[in-house]
Amino acid sequence: DTAVSQTPKYLVTQMGNDKSIKCEQNLGHDTMYWYKQDSKKFLKIMFSYNNKELIINETVPNRFSPKSPDKAHLNLHINSLELGDSAVYFCASSQGHSNSPLHFGNGTRLTVT
Amino acid sequence: GEDVEQSLFLSVREGDSSVINCTYTDSSSTYLYWYKQEPGAGLQLLTYIFSNMDMKQDQRLTVLLNKKDKHLSLRIADTQTGDSAIYFCAERTGSQGNLIFGKGTKLSVKP
């Protein structure tokens, strides 16, 4: 009965590779997000989609491309991985994009070697 | 710009009360949130408060909001070792509803 689920939980890969992280929510929410948490635990928004449309796109390298096939899914594809991409990536969802709280997945720990 | 500030560390003894403080800058924030992150885990929503409220209580948790000073606090009564975690304050701001997080306060509870 997991509300927001991400796969994989851990991802170890080499520089230059392309990888994807998947996210699914079964809460019936219409807005989904990707956040990045760095080694100092700082959390920063990367993207936000509402009803499959991009509404927030922070200053993120264009190597990162979110894809939302439907309201319940928001995947993150990363091209040409770099060492600095190593972090924990969190998916979240909410109903609407202004007031309701975000519900987070358990995170994907990406390590680039 | 939007900014949320928290102290980085807090250490208390088991059974004491913990108070985690947060300041924010965007006066148009409608909701303010507290999230808890245990080691290796995701972010768990603890509680949230609407900006027209001064206080919200939920079992051992009390949230106080001073909108004039843009100050938010989370009090945990009878703190237990299981409360050891990082606590993030966050504000919902702007038309896009971006959730801006503080840097997190690491709470250590000593037996």
Side-chain angles (χ1 to χ4, degrees):
Chain A
D1 62 345
T2 305
V4 181
S5 58
Q6 304 178 220
T7 53
K9 187 173 171 63
Y10 299 98
L11 184 53
V12 181
T13 188
Q14 290 185 326
M15 283 174 57
N17 285 348
D18 303 339
K19 290 293 178 186
S20 291
I21 307 172
K22 294 186 176 181
C23 179
E24 176 182 6
Q25 54 94 5
N26 62 5
L27 295 166
H29 290 165
D30 60 3
T31 306
M32 295 185 72
Y33 310 79
W34 278 108
Y35 277 80
K36 179 179 180 181
Q37 186 175 44
D38 64 21
S39 58
K40 292 183 180 175
K41 304 295 185 186
F42 301 161
L43 279 153
K44 198 164 162 56
I45 181 100
M46 298 174 70
F47 300 102
S48 167
Y49 270 73
N50 175 257
N51 281 316
K52 301 191 329 177
E53 287 191 23
L54 182 68
I55 56 170
I56 294 175
N57 183 357
E58 291 295 305
T59 307
V60 174
N62 58 14
R63 297 182 295 103
F64 290 79
S65 53
K67 287 185 171 53
S68 182
D70 55 56
K71 283 195 319 181
H73 296 83
L74 182 62
N75 303 322
L76 185 64
H77 189 75
I78 315 169
N79 289 329
S80 303
L81 278 155
E82 299 178 358
L83 292 176
D85 297 332
S86 295
V88 181
Y89 292 85
F90 285 101
C91 177
S93 73
S94 68
Q95 183 54 36
H97 57 90
S98 56
N99 289 329
S100 60
L102 272 63
H103 296 264
F104 283 82
N106 286 330
T108 296
R109 181 174 293 278
L110 171 65
T111 303
V112 183
T113 61
Chain B
E2 303 144 349
D3 200 12
V4 178
E5 298 284 343
Q6 303 177 238
S7 53
L8 294 182
F9 301 99
L10 177 65
S11 181
V12 300
R13 292 208 172 274
E14 195 173 15
D16 288 350
S17 291
S18 307
V19 180
I20 302 171
N21 294 302
C22 169
T23 57
Y24 59 98
T25 54
D26 190 345
S27 57
S28 66
S29 293
T30 51
Y31 281 89
L32 296 132
Y33 304 84
W34 285 103
Y35 283 85
K36 175 184 180 183
Q37 185 178 30
E38 295 181 22
L43 284 95
Q44 173 196 352
L45 176 68
L46 278 181
T47 186
Y48 59 100
I49 189 167
F50 186 48
S51 57
N52 70 353
M53 296 170 65
D54 298 324
M55 185 181 90
K56 180 178 179 181
Q57 188 150 3
D58 184 1
Q59 300 181 338
R60 292 191 298 122
L61 304 178
T62 303
V63 178
L64 293 178
L65 175 61
N66 182 329
K67 198 172 178 185
K68 175 175 165 288
D69 294 338
K70 299 194 192 88
H71 182 267
L72 182 74
S73 67
L74 174 70
R75 179 176 179 269
I76 306 172
D78 187 25
T79 313
Q80 303 297 306
T81 54
D83 294 325
S84 294
I86 300 177
Y87 290 80
F88 290 93
C89 170
E91 63 170 345
R92 204 78 135 111
T93 183
S95 60
Q96 294 179 329
N98 191 5
L99 198 63
I100 307 290
F101 284 89
K103 291 182 171 58
T105 300
K106 185 173 183 178
L107 175 64
S108 299
V109 183
K110 299 186 191 320

